[in-house]
Amino acid sequence: MDKTHDIHVSRPPPMGALVPPMTVPDLFPRLPVIAVHRNPLFPKFVKMIEVTDKSLVDLIRRKVKLNQPYAGIFLKKDDYNVDEVVKSLSDIYSVGTFAQIYELQDLGSKLRMIVTGHRRIEIKELLIEESEPENVETEKEANRGRKLKRKRRMMKDSETGEEDVVKPSFISEGDSSESPELQQAGVLMVEVENVAHEAFKNTEEVKATTAEVVKTIRDIVQMNPLYRESVAQMIQSGQRVIDNPVYLSDLGAALTGAEAHEQQEVLEETNIPKRLMLALSLLKRDYELSKIQQRIGKEVEQKVQQQQRKYLLQEQMKVIKKELGIEKDDKETIVEKFRERIKEKVVPLQASEVIEEEFNKLGFLDPHSSEFNITRNYLDWLTSMPWGVHSQENLELNKAKEVLEEDHYGMDDVKKRILEFIAVSQLKGSTQGKILCFYGPPGVGKTSIAKSIAKALNREYFRFSVGGMSDVAEIKGHRRTYIGAMPGKIIQSLKKTKTENPLILMDEVDKMGRGWQGDPSSALLELLDPEQNSNFLDHYLDVPVDLSKVLFITTANVTDTIPEPLRDRMEMIDISGYVAEEKLAIAEKYLVPQAQNLSGVGAEKLVISADAMTILIKQYCRESGVRHLQKQIEKIHRKAAYKLVEGESSKITVSPENLPDFVGKALFTHDRLYDMMPPGVVMGLAWTSMGGSTLFIETTLKRPLDLETKESGSLEITGHLGDVMKESTQIAYTVSKSFLMEVDASNQFLHHGHIHLHVPEGATPKDGPSAGCTIVTALLSLAKGMPIRQNVAMTGEVSLTGKVLPVGGIKEKTIAAKRVGVNCIILPSENRKDYSDLPAFITDGLEVHFVEKYREVYDIVFPNNS
């Protein structure tokens, strides 16, 4: 591959092995071809060229030995063509430059030449280069031999009458008779002719164009110093380029960084005015580019100078302030800030040792290292912890009562437990921690009561949810070896509350997940253990933290999904649902004022009557909590706001008659499935996560009873029952047959009848053993063909021997019974203590029977047969 460099001087500087000087001939038709790329060689310019192709190297050596140091410099059409010897004439432009090899350095495998352009030439034909003779004398003898052969051939042709035709030794490019060796050699020698420019007159237009070219070159040189040396060398060589339009156009084109085909266009142009205009257009384009480069360079330089100036001033200011004692360096400032944080704190000995060790470590670290940032963040957390800092706890019972009653209605168990907690703290004279778990249906105020407790105790409040949590690091923190490591939620809560005795609420503790990162519920075992949390070890801090003064409160809807070891560590407090009377009081005291504030509809513009509120509670919002009731009250206020803005009315009263206009049709139109229960149907009581509800047991015969065949009876069960309830049904079926033999041995109904037992609302899953008594009673009622006592509901598990076992959810079941108008309920004897805890407004008007054996139940529901 040839390597070319333009040197803009008319006379090259002496270097290397100089070729003997000689007069350049005006005509020299046969020339070696040197193909260059990117930049053509203009006349009066110098170019350094390196060639490595063996055939071209041998050819140039031979020509120099023959005192023919001339070559044709032609531009390749393809800039990416790396061949030094092109394959055909179509690969190069036909117009090039006749150049003299001024200096030649033979480096063995390659030649390095400095050539000077003299004039424009154009290729006419491709020539065949004969083999190289051994020496110059041989070449001369060969020339004499060729002349004698040519003379003899001319004499022979004159004798035969043929014309005197001289056949030159060349072939055309497309000659098919060319030998394979020649085809492979490529273009080495060509026949050329000189290209002269057209005659022109030095008109005013040419002078003006010439002056503009000179001015543009001067402007470019001033902007771009890279061209200054080349132009200076050209002018110092003695050439009057400024007064010569021919050479001035070549100078302008050579100075530009134009594309190869654009420079070739200048080289091929023979009309001098046009050549000047082409060169001027290329120069103008380069001038505009130079201006853009200069502007960008100035902007970058100015920006860098401003940054450097600002940096230098800041560094000088730091040094001045440090000398005056006003300011210290960054590392000292950080350490001083951290020490100031723990100055007034009572830091435990173990934590204090770690902090001092980290301070010493920080002093040896480079502020720009990653380890410095890790240590600084670690110290930031260690010094931000509230070591020995407590909030002043409220120990006044009356004040705590006012706060708790102000925000929540009912919840006597929770309020009593908090008041007991305050009383113990008052007697001990110190703050203490505790771990409580509030469980109950949604919407009963478990989360909101925790905030009120924090307010009553004057403790800082922090809440986070553990529902769906599957990463132990959320509780215990990440180890510091990880990128982006940070402490767990518990340490974060202490840093945010800035006290050692906050109230931390962990919501949805019954809905924790478990993933490949570990089991968070197991991590809570240490956190919620009063014997262990005084030395809680977070993975990030890695120093013991005392959590014994923290009041932990967790919330859950059900306790079945909480692991037994975790449930054992918490004090479980049941928050049951509300009866209609409680909901009415909550709506009037809390929900309606809250909705008025949110909607902007005051009490003077909207009145909801007590009857309408009662219907809203009984027929629209039967769930245990008040969340759905709150949504319906807000819906009434939104619709009332719309009517007030529309101008339909200036004051709105919601009554039972127009209530559907605000909340739609009633969802519950009947309180009970049967107003009068027929034989084989008994009302039971059930507990759900939404509260208590009534549950009817229906039984009937599948086909007529046939006592003559003595066929054994069967029992079919439907109603989407769970496995436990199915087992309870089989037990009740056996108990009912056994009991019927005792009270009426002649009744063979249950032994031979094919019975179908169904629990209505088949789409609702049902499970649990508490319907045992109800199923036995329904089967006996069907066998006797006699309905039981009306308005009676019951619950209780029955054993195979007829004993009635205790069940849960007594409050919810009692509320459900009273809601549907039941005036007599039957409960297991061991649930007497649960019933006695119920408030009077729930038990008023209820006839309650506590039973130990099913015989007592039979006597109550069949009073005429006892």
Side-chain angles (χ1 to χ4, degrees):
M1 179 178 179
D2 61 273
K3 300 178 182 177
T4 62
H5 306 275
D6 284 348
I7 304 173
H8 305 303
V9 295
S10 60
R11 245 184 271 139
M15 60 179 288
L18 294 177
V19 178
M22 58 189 302
T23 304
V24 178
D26 294 334
L27 292 174
F28 201 88
R30 303 181 71 214
L31 290 172
V33 175
I34 299 178
V36 297
H37 67 283
R38 188 66 188 87
N39 295 314
L41 175 65
F42 287 93
K44 304 303 179 184
F45 278 72
V46 174
K47 182 183 283 286
M48 187 176 73
I49 302 174
E50 289 184 0
V51 291
T52 57
D53 185 84
K54 188 176 184 305
S55 58
L56 186 57
V57 168
D58 294 341
L59 177 60
I60 293 174
R61 283 174 180 163
R62 181 155 51 91
K63 292 298 182 183
V64 172
K65 287 179 183 179
L66 295 173
N67 289 330
Q68 298 176 4
Y70 309 116
I73 311 299
F74 297 93
L75 183 67
K76 298 176 189 175
K77 292 182 179 179
D78 186 4
D79 288 342
Y80 298 99
N81 186 353
V82 296
D83 297 331
E84 292 184 354
V85 178
V86 295
K87 301 299 182 184
S88 66
L89 292 178
S90 60
D91 293 337
I92 57 176
Y93 289 100
S94 60
V95 176
T97 305
F98 177 86
Q100 177 188 4
I101 301 175
Y102 183 78
E103 182 179 341
L104 177 67
Q105 289 183 343
D106 195 339
L107 303 177
S109 60
K110 66 178 180 180
L111 295 180
R112 181 177 296 162
M113 304 173 290
I114 293 180
V115 298
T116 305
H118 286 282
R119 58 178 176 268
R120 287 169 169 79
I121 55 175
E122 185 176 6
I123 297 175
K124 303 308 292 181
E125 295 291 348
L126 174 65
L127 297 179
I128 301 174
E129 177 61 23
E130 297 177 357
S131 60
E132 180 182 357
E134 294 181 359
N135 50 49
V136 178
E137 294 298 328
T138 307
E139 174 69 13
K140 291 180 179 179
E141 291 177 2
N143 288 337
R144 285 196 296 269
R146 280 195 293 270
K147 290 179 181 178
L148 288 173
K149 288 180 182 179
R150 190 180 299 115
K151 185 175 182 181
R152 290 172 185 170
R153 188 167 56 250
M154 291 173 62
M155 292 174 62
K156 186 178 179 180
D157 290 341
S158 63
E159 291 176 359
T160 57
E162 295 180 1
E163 296 180 358
D164 185 10
V165 179
V166 179
K167 296 181 180 179
S169 177
F170 66 86
I171 62 171
S172 64
E173 184 183 353
D175 194 344
S176 60
S177 63
E178 184 180 354
S179 66
E181 292 79 2
L182 185 60
Q183 290 180 2
Q184 293 176 3
V187 179
L188 291 175
M189 291 288 294
V190 291
E191 182 179 356
V192 299
E193 65 178 7
N194 295 338
V195 177
H197 61 76
E198 299 174 6
F200 71 96
K201 295 182 180 180
N202 200 4
T203 61
E204 296 297 325
E205 183 179 354
V206 173
K207 291 180 180 179
T209 307
T210 303
E212 185 63 25
V213 170
V214 173
K215 177 179 177 298
T216 307
I217 292 175
R218 185 183 297 114
D219 293 339
I220 292 176
V221 168
Q222 288 178 353
M223 281 191 177
N224 197 338
L226 294 176
Y227 298 114
R228 189 173 300 163
E229 184 180 353
S230 299
V231 175
Q233 289 177 352
M234 173 65 77
I235 295 174
Q236 288 172 5
S237 64
Q239 291 285 343
R240 293 292 299 169
V241 180
I242 298 175
D243 299 335
N244 191 338
V246 178
Y247 297 130
L248 184 62
S249 58
D250 292 343
L251 172 64
L255 281 175
T256 64
E259 297 291 332
H261 66 88
E262 294 174 330
Q263 294 187 7
Q264 180 67 26
E265 189 177 355
V266 176
L267 186 67
E268 293 178 357
E269 183 59 58
T270 57
N271 187 296
I272 299 304
K274 288 184 179 180
R275 189 190 296 175
L276 275 172
M277 290 303 296
L278 288 174
L280 180 60
S281 63
L282 297 179
L283 286 168
K284 287 292 185 183
R285 190 171 65 188
D286 266 31
Y287 177 60
E288 294 299 324
L289 182 62
S290 297
K291 287 201 296 185
I292 295 173
Q293 290 176 343
Q294 187 183 41
R295 178 175 58 81
I296 294 174
K298 285 183 178 179
E299 290 177 357
V300 173
E301 185 179 357
Q302 186 178 5
K303 187 175 181 181
V304 171
Q305 287 177 351
Q306 287 178 352
Q307 291 177 349
Q308 289 179 343
R309 182 173 179 271
K310 185 177 180 181
Y311 175 77
L312 290 173
L313 289 175
Q314 287 177 345
E315 291 300 317
Q316 290 175 359
M317 187 180 296
K318 285 182 181 179
V319 173
I320 294 171
K321 287 185 176 181
K322 190 174 181 180
E323 291 294 330
L324 294 175
I326 300 175
E327 187 179 281
K328 300 179 180 179
D329 59 11
D330 293 341
K331 193 183 296 186
E332 292 180 359
T333 304
I334 292 172
V335 173
E336 187 174 341
K337 181 181 71 173
F338 289 156
R339 289 192 180 278
E340 189 65 27
R341 283 183 185 176
I342 60 175
K343 187 176 180 181
E344 303 296 331
K345 296 178 182 178
V346 182
V347 184
L349 178 61
Q350 194 168 353
S352 179
E353 290 176 353
V354 173
I355 291 173
E356 288 299 327
E357 185 178 332
E358 292 298 318
F359 277 149
N360 296 332
K361 180 180 176 182
L362 192 70
F364 292 104
L365 292 174
D366 181 73
H368 302 289
S369 65
S370 58
E371 186 68 24
F372 181 85
N373 292 325
I374 294 173
T375 306
R376 183 182 62 184
N377 292 337
Y378 183 45
L379 278 170
D380 184 29
W381 278 99
L382 282 174
T383 56
S384 298
M385 292 295 293
W387 306 110
V389 179
H390 305 86
S391 60
Q392 188 63 37
E393 193 165 346
N394 173 40
L395 301 178
E396 296 181 12
L397 291 176
N398 292 331
K399 184 178 179 181
K401 281 182 184 178
E402 291 178 5
V403 174
L404 293 173
E405 293 293 341
E406 180 183 352
D407 297 331
H408 291 82
Y409 183 85
M411 294 190 175
D412 293 333
D413 291 344
V414 178
K415 293 175 181 177
K416 286 179 182 178
R417 183 64 188 86
I418 298 304
L419 294 176
E420 292 169 1
F421 178 81
I422 295 175
V424 172
S425 298
Q426 186 175 358
L427 291 176
K428 290 183 65 177
S430 63
T431 59
Q432 58 175 336
K434 208 64 182 175
I435 301 159
L436 308 176
C437 179
F438 300 157
Y439 68 95
V444 295
K446 299 185 296 296
T447 302
S448 58
I449 189 66
K451 195 167 187 178
S452 297
I453 292 171
K455 184 179 177 182
L457 295 173
N458 193 33
R459 290 196 180 201
E460 295 295 328
Y461 174 75
F462 184 86
R463 173 197 168 274
F464 69 97
S465 176
V466 295
M469 183 183 292
S470 59
D471 190 358
V472 175
E474 293 288 334
I475 304 294
K476 298 274 288 181
H478 304 85
R479 302 193 184 278
R480 294 198 307 278
T481 53
Y482 298 120
I483 296 174
M486 62 188 305
K489 288 288 186 184
I490 305 303
I491 301 300
Q492 293 179 36
S493 67
L494 294 180
K495 180 182 178 182
K496 185 174 182 180
T497 57
K498 299 178 181 179
T499 59
E500 277 190 334
N501 62 333
L503 186 150
I504 298 178
L505 173 67
M506 290 184 285
D507 257 336
E508 314 296 347
V509 75
D510 59 327
K511 301 177 181 64
M512 280 188 294
R514 177 183 295 181
W516 61 270
Q517 299 97 334
D519 183 9
S521 61
S522 299
L524 288 179
L525 295 178
E526 177 191 0
L527 178 67
L528 300 180
D529 190 344
E531 301 299 326
Q532 298 183 44
N533 63 10
S534 59
N535 289 298
F536 176 73
L537 197 64
D538 184 87
H539 288 159
Y540 182 85
L541 287 188
D542 207 24
V543 294
V545 178
D546 185 9
L547 300 179
S548 60
K549 299 180 179 62
V550 178
L551 175 58
F552 290 101
I553 296 180
T554 63
T555 65
N557 294 126
V558 293
T559 59
D560 300 338
T561 56
I562 303 175
E564 180 61 31
L566 183 60
R567 191 164 65 241
D568 181 63
R569 283 164 165 78
M570 300 185 292
E571 183 178 342
M572 312 297 290
I573 299 178
D574 183 13
I575 301 181
S576 305
Y578 302 106
V579 295
E581 291 81 3
E582 289 179 308
K583 287 186 177 181
L584 183 62
I586 292 171
E588 293 176 350
K589 191 174 180 180
Y590 303 105
L591 302 183
V592 172
Q594 183 179 356
Q596 290 174 352
N597 293 332
L598 292 175
S599 63
V601 179
E604 68 281 357
K605 297 180 181 179
L606 174 64
V607 176
I608 303 176
S609 65
D611 294 338
M613 188 65 72
T614 302
I615 293 176
L616 182 67
I617 293 170
K618 290 185 176 181
Q619 297 187 6
Y620 293 85
C621 309
R622 282 193 178 181
E623 78 285 351
S624 298
V626 292
R627 189 171 289 143
H628 188 58
L629 177 61
Q630 180 183 8
K631 293 177 183 177
Q632 295 295 339
I633 292 174
E634 290 175 355
K635 186 176 181 181
I636 292 173
H637 281 76
R638 286 197 304 270
K639 290 187 178 292
Y642 177 78
K643 291 185 177 183
L644 291 171
V645 173
E646 284 289 319
E648 297 181 13
S649 176
S650 59
K651 185 177 181 180
I652 298 173
T653 301
V654 180
S655 61
E657 291 75 21
N658 64 358
L659 182 63
D661 297 337
F662 292 90
V663 292
K665 295 181 180 179
L667 300 178
F668 308 99
T669 54
H670 60 276
D671 286 337
R672 49 201 292 180
L673 190 61
Y674 294 95
D675 293 330
M676 295 294 292
M677 288 182 291
V681 177
V682 179
M683 183 192 303
L685 299 174
W687 178 91
T688 68
S689 61
M690 300 295 291
S693 66
T694 56
L695 190 72
F696 285 90
I697 305 295
E698 299 177 330
T699 57
T700 185
L701 272 176
K702 292 198 296 184
R703 59 175 185 241
L705 182 65
D706 187 3
L707 298 176
E708 296 180 359
T709 60
K710 303 296 182 180
E711 181 182 2
S712 298
S714 64
L715 178 66
E716 181 180 354
I717 305 169
T718 58
H720 203 167
L721 307 184
D723 293 337
V724 176
M725 195 167 183
K726 287 179 181 178
E727 290 183 357
S728 179
T729 303
Q730 294 296 333
I731 293 171
Y733 184 48
T734 301
V735 170
S736 60
K737 289 194 291 184
S738 175
F739 188 81
L740 187 59
M741 285 190 297
E742 293 180 10
V743 296
D744 188 1
S746 62
N747 192 333
Q748 299 294 311
F749 184 90
L750 295 178
H751 291 278
H752 303 291
H754 296 277
I755 302 170
H756 185 175
L757 185 147
H758 177 66
V759 184
E761 298 185 14
T764 304
K766 309 167 191 71
D767 203 3
S770 62
C773 290
T774 312
I775 297 171
V776 173
T777 306
L779 291 172
L780 291 176
S781 173
L782 181 66
K784 294 170 65 67
M786 181 187 302
I788 68 167
R789 173 183 167 183
Q790 301 299 321
N791 291 332
V792 173
M794 63 187 72
T795 184
E797 180 182 357
V798 66
S799 70
L800 201 57
T801 59
K803 292 195 69 172
V804 181
L805 305 179
V807 293
I810 297 300
K811 181 179 180 181
E812 289 83 357
K813 293 176 180 179
T814 307
I815 291 171
K818 189 168 185 180
R819 185 172 61 230
V820 298
V822 171
N823 54 23
C824 178
I825 59 174
I826 300 174
L827 302 175
S829 178
E830 293 189 22
N831 288 121
R832 188 189 300 270
K833 60 183 182 303
D834 300 314
Y835 185 82
S836 62
D837 293 336
L838 299 180
F841 64 85
I842 296 178
T843 59
D844 285 347
L846 281 179
E847 177 188 345
V848 184
H849 298 275
F850 297 99
V851 297
E852 291 185 359
K853 293 187 177 181
Y854 182 75
R855 179 74 194 196
E856 301 173 39
V857 179
Y858 181 80
D859 294 340
I860 296 170
V861 297
F862 297 107
N864 298 328
N865 291 277
S866 57

